[in-house]
Amino acid sequence: MAALVVILAIGTGLASGYRINLTPSEPLGLWRIIPLHRPVAIDDLVFICPPATAEMLEARVRGYLRSGSCPGGVAPLIKTVIAVAGQHVEIGASVSVDGRVVSSSSLARRDGKGRPLTPFPSGIVPPGYVFLHSSFPGSYDSRYFGPVPISGILGLAQEVFTYVP
């Protein structure tokens, strides 16, 4: 009976847009997906399903992405939008958008296990795409996988009960 109650509670939470974040890219804990009824904007913190690309498959194999309900069997990401269509993103030692350096955007040459990381080439964010970032130093974000389609955005990310370890 207790197991049934737990299963029903989890199902209800997921159907209501609640998610548990277990990654350090944003505070750990309970979050809610808020529907986005306007165009995505700079500084929006969003839940997004990454596209099922070769880069995401490699990220899954390397353990950067958790299992979940998005295409490719991965969990949604929580990231901040730092560039939208038409903006120029320059990737060097850190990231600049339209000539402005993004804070906490230095690039890692290797992951936590010593494997090489390849930065995404600089360029213009194409129509229908956004460039994502997390200030967490070990974050796997658009610095490495590039712009992602806005069609993958599930909604805004709202903290409900979170903590920073």
Side-chain angles (χ1 to χ4, degrees), residues 42-81:
I42 302 299
D43 293 329
D44 279 346
L45 185 62
V46 297
F47 272 99
I48 187 166
C49 281
T53 62
E55 292 86 6
M56 292 303 169
L57 177 60
E58 176 68 17
R60 178 85 167 108
V61 168
R62 285 185 171 203
Y64 303 160
L65 305 176
R66 300 194 187 277
S67 296
S69 60
C70 291
V74 299
L77 306 175
I78 306 173
K79 303 289 180 198
T80 301
V81 175

Coordinates of all heavy atoms in Angstrom, one line a residue, residues 42-81:
I42 N 16.6 36.3 -23.0 CA 17.8 36.3 -22.3 C 17.6 36.2 -20.8 O 16.7 36.9 -20.3 CB 18.7 37.5 -22.7 CG1 18.9 37.6 -24.2 CG2 20.0 37.5 -21.9 CD1 19.6 36.5 -24.8
D43 N 18.4 35.4 -20.1 CA 18.3 35.3 -18.6 C 17.1 34.4 -18.2 O 17.0 34.2 -17.0 CB 18.3 36.6 -17.9 CG 19.6 37.4 -18.0 OD1 20.6 36.7 -18.1 OD2 19.6 38.6 -18.0
D44 N 16.3 33.9 -19.1 CA 15.3 32.9 -18.7 C 16.0 31.6 -18.2 O 16.9 31.1 -18.9 CB 14.4 32.5 -19.8 CG 13.3 33.5 -20.1 OD1 13.1 34.4 -19.2 OD2 12.7 33.4 -21.2
L45 N 15.6 31.1 -17.1 CA 16.1 29.8 -16.6 C 15.0 28.8 -17.0 O 13.9 28.9 -16.6 CB 16.2 29.9 -15.0 CG 16.8 28.6 -14.4 CD1 18.2 28.3 -14.8 CD2 16.7 28.7 -12.9
V46 N 15.4 27.9 -17.8 CA 14.5 27.0 -18.5 C 14.8 25.5 -18.2 O 15.9 25.1 -18.0 CB 14.4 27.2 -20.0 CG1 13.9 28.6 -20.3 CG2 15.7 26.9 -20.7
F47 N 13.7 24.7 -18.3 CA 13.8 23.3 -18.4 C 13.8 23.0 -19.9 O 12.9 23.5 -20.6 CB 12.6 22.6 -17.8 CG 12.8 22.2 -16.3 CD1 12.2 23.1 -15.4 CD2 13.5 21.1 -15.9 CE1 12.3 22.8 -14.0 CE2 13.6 20.8 -14.6 CZ 13.0 21.6 -13.6
I48 N 14.7 22.2 -20.4 CA 14.8 21.9 -21.8 C 15.2 20.5 -22.1 O 16.1 20.0 -21.4 CB 15.7 22.9 -22.6 CG1 15.6 22.8 -24.1 CG2 17.1 22.8 -22.0 CD1 16.2 23.9 -24.9
C49 N 14.5 19.9 -23.0 CA 14.9 18.5 -23.5 C 16.0 18.8 -24.5 O 15.7 19.4 -25.5 CB 13.8 17.8 -24.1 SG 12.7 17.0 -22.8
P50 N 17.2 18.2 -24.3 CA 18.2 18.4 -25.3 C 17.9 17.5 -26.6 O 17.2 16.5 -26.4 CB 19.5 17.8 -24.6 CG 19.0 16.9 -23.6 CD 17.7 17.5 -23.2
P51 N 18.3 18.0 -27.7 CA 18.0 17.2 -28.9 C 18.7 15.9 -29.0 O 19.8 15.8 -28.3 CB 18.4 18.1 -30.1 CG 19.5 19.0 -29.4 CD 19.1 19.2 -28.0
A52 N 18.2 14.9 -29.6 CA 18.9 13.6 -29.7 C 19.9 13.7 -30.8 O 19.7 13.2 -31.9 CB 17.8 12.5 -30.0
T53 N 21.0 14.3 -30.5 CA 22.1 14.4 -31.5 C 23.3 13.5 -31.1 O 23.3 13.0 -30.0 CB 22.6 15.9 -31.5 OG1 23.1 16.2 -30.2 CG2 21.5 16.9 -31.9
A54 N 24.3 13.5 -32.0 CA 25.5 12.7 -31.7 C 26.2 13.2 -30.4 O 26.7 12.5 -29.6 CB 26.5 12.7 -32.9
E55 N 26.2 14.6 -30.3 CA 26.9 15.2 -29.1 C 26.1 14.8 -27.8 O 26.8 14.5 -26.8 CB 26.9 16.7 -29.2 CG 27.7 17.3 -30.2 CD 27.1 17.4 -31.6 OE1 25.9 17.1 -31.7 OE2 27.8 17.7 -32.6
M56 N 24.8 14.7 -27.9 CA 24.1 14.3 -26.7 C 24.2 12.8 -26.4 O 24.2 12.4 -25.2 CB 22.6 14.7 -26.8 CG 22.4 16.2 -26.8 SD 23.0 17.0 -25.3 CE 22.9 18.7 -25.8
L57 N 24.3 12.0 -27.4 CA 24.5 10.6 -27.3 C 25.9 10.4 -26.6 O 26.0 9.6 -25.6 CB 24.5 9.8 -28.6 CG 24.8 8.4 -28.5 CD1 23.8 7.6 -27.6 CD2 24.8 7.7 -29.9
E58 N 26.9 11.1 -27.0 CA 28.2 11.0 -26.4 C 28.2 11.5 -25.0 O 28.8 10.9 -24.1 CB 29.3 11.8 -27.2 CG 30.6 11.9 -26.6 CD 31.4 10.5 -26.6 OE1 31.0 9.6 -27.3 OE2 32.3 10.4 -25.8
A59 N 27.4 12.6 -24.7 CA 27.3 13.1 -23.3 C 26.6 12.0 -22.4 O 27.0 11.9 -21.3 CB 26.5 14.4 -23.3
R60 N 25.6 11.3 -23.0 CA 24.9 10.3 -22.2 C 25.9 9.1 -21.9 O 25.9 8.7 -20.8 CB 23.8 9.8 -23.0 CG 23.0 8.7 -22.4 CD 21.9 9.2 -21.4 NE 21.0 8.2 -21.1 CZ 21.0 7.6 -19.9 NH1 21.8 8.1 -18.9 NH2 20.2 6.7 -19.6
V61 N 26.7 8.7 -22.9 CA 27.7 7.7 -22.7 C 28.7 8.1 -21.6 O 29.1 7.2 -20.8 CB 28.4 7.3 -24.0 CG1 29.6 6.4 -23.8 CG2 27.4 6.7 -25.0
R62 N 29.1 9.3 -21.7 CA 30.1 9.8 -20.7 C 29.5 10.0 -19.3 O 30.2 10.3 -18.4 CB 30.7 11.1 -21.2 CG 31.7 10.9 -22.3 CD 32.4 12.2 -22.7 NE 33.5 12.0 -23.6 CZ 34.5 12.9 -23.7 NH1 34.5 14.0 -23.0 NH2 35.5 12.6 -24.6
G63 N 28.2 10.0 -19.2 CA 27.6 10.2 -17.9 C 27.2 11.6 -17.5 O 27.0 11.9 -16.4
Y64 N 27.3 12.5 -18.5 CA 26.9 13.9 -18.2 C 25.4 14.2 -18.1 O 25.0 15.1 -17.5 CB 27.4 14.8 -19.4 CG 28.9 14.8 -19.7 CD1 29.3 15.2 -20.9 CD2 29.9 14.3 -18.8 CE1 30.7 15.2 -21.3 CE2 31.2 14.3 -19.1 CZ 31.6 14.7 -20.4 OH 32.9 14.7 -20.7
L65 N 24.6 13.3 -18.7 CA 23.2 13.4 -18.7 C 22.6 12.3 -17.9 O 23.0 11.1 -18.1 CB 22.7 13.5 -20.1 CG 23.3 14.5 -21.0 CD1 22.7 14.4 -22.5 CD2 23.0 15.9 -20.5
R66 N 21.6 12.6 -17.2 CA 20.8 11.5 -16.4 C 19.7 11.0 -17.3 O 19.2 11.6 -18.2 CB 20.3 12.1 -15.1 CG 21.4 12.7 -14.2 CD 20.8 12.9 -12.8 NE 21.8 13.6 -12.0 CZ 22.8 12.9 -11.3 NH1 22.9 11.6 -11.4 NH2 23.6 13.6 -10.6
S67 N 19.2 9.8 -16.8 CA 18.1 9.2 -17.5 C 16.8 9.9 -17.3 O 16.6 10.5 -16.2 CB 17.9 7.7 -17.0 OG 19.0 6.9 -17.3
G68 N 16.0 10.0 -18.3 CA 14.7 10.7 -18.1 C 13.8 10.5 -19.3 O 14.0 9.6 -20.2
S69 N 12.8 11.4 -19.4 CA 11.7 11.3 -20.4 C 11.9 12.0 -21.7 O 11.0 12.0 -22.5 CB 10.4 11.7 -19.7 OG 10.5 13.1 -19.3
C70 N 13.1 12.7 -21.9 CA 13.3 13.4 -23.1 C 13.8 12.5 -24.2 O 14.2 11.3 -23.9 CB 14.4 14.5 -22.9 SG 13.9 15.8 -21.8
P71 N 13.7 12.9 -25.5 CA 14.3 12.1 -26.6 C 15.7 11.6 -26.2 O 16.5 12.4 -25.7 CB 14.3 13.1 -27.8 CG 13.2 14.0 -27.4 CD 13.2 14.2 -25.9
G72 N 16.0 10.4 -26.6 CA 17.3 9.9 -26.3 C 17.3 9.3 -24.9 O 18.4 8.8 -24.4
G73 N 16.2 9.3 -24.1 CA 16.1 8.8 -22.8 C 16.9 9.6 -21.7 O 17.3 9.0 -20.7
V74 N 17.0 10.9 -21.9 CA 17.7 11.7 -21.0 C 16.7 12.6 -20.2 O 15.6 12.8 -20.7 CB 18.8 12.6 -21.6 CG1 19.9 11.7 -22.3 CG2 18.2 13.6 -22.6
A75 N 17.2 13.1 -19.1 CA 16.3 14.0 -18.3 C 16.5 15.4 -18.8 O 17.5 15.8 -19.4 CB 16.8 14.0 -16.8
P76 N 15.4 16.3 -18.6 CA 15.5 17.7 -19.0 C 16.7 18.3 -18.3 O 17.1 18.0 -17.2 CB 14.2 18.3 -18.6 CG 13.3 17.1 -18.3 CD 14.2 16.0 -18.0
L77 N 17.3 19.3 -19.0 CA 18.3 20.2 -18.4 C 17.7 21.4 -17.8 O 16.7 21.9 -18.3 CB 19.3 20.6 -19.5 CG 19.9 19.4 -20.3 CD1 20.8 20.0 -21.4 CD2 20.8 18.5 -19.4
I78 N 18.4 22.0 -16.8 CA 18.0 23.3 -16.3 C 19.2 24.2 -16.6 O 20.3 24.0 -16.1 CB 17.8 23.3 -14.7 CG1 16.7 22.2 -14.3 CG2 17.3 24.7 -14.3 CD1 16.6 22.1 -12.8
K79 N 18.9 25.2 -17.5 CA 20.0 26.1 -17.9 C 19.4 27.5 -18.1 O 18.2 27.7 -18.3 CB 20.6 25.6 -19.3 CG 21.1 24.2 -19.3 CD 22.4 24.1 -18.5 CE 22.9 22.6 -18.5 NZ 23.8 22.3 -17.4
T80 N 20.3 28.4 -18.2 CA 20.0 29.8 -18.4 C 20.2 30.2 -19.9 O 21.3 29.8 -20.4 CB 20.8 30.8 -17.5 OG1 20.5 30.4 -16.1 CG2 20.5 32.2 -17.8
V81 N 19.3 30.8 -20.5 CA 19.4 31.3 -21.9 C 20.3 32.5 -21.8 O 20.0 33.5 -21.2 CB 18.1 31.7 -22.5 CG1 18.2 32.2 -23.9 CG2 17.2 30.4 -22.5

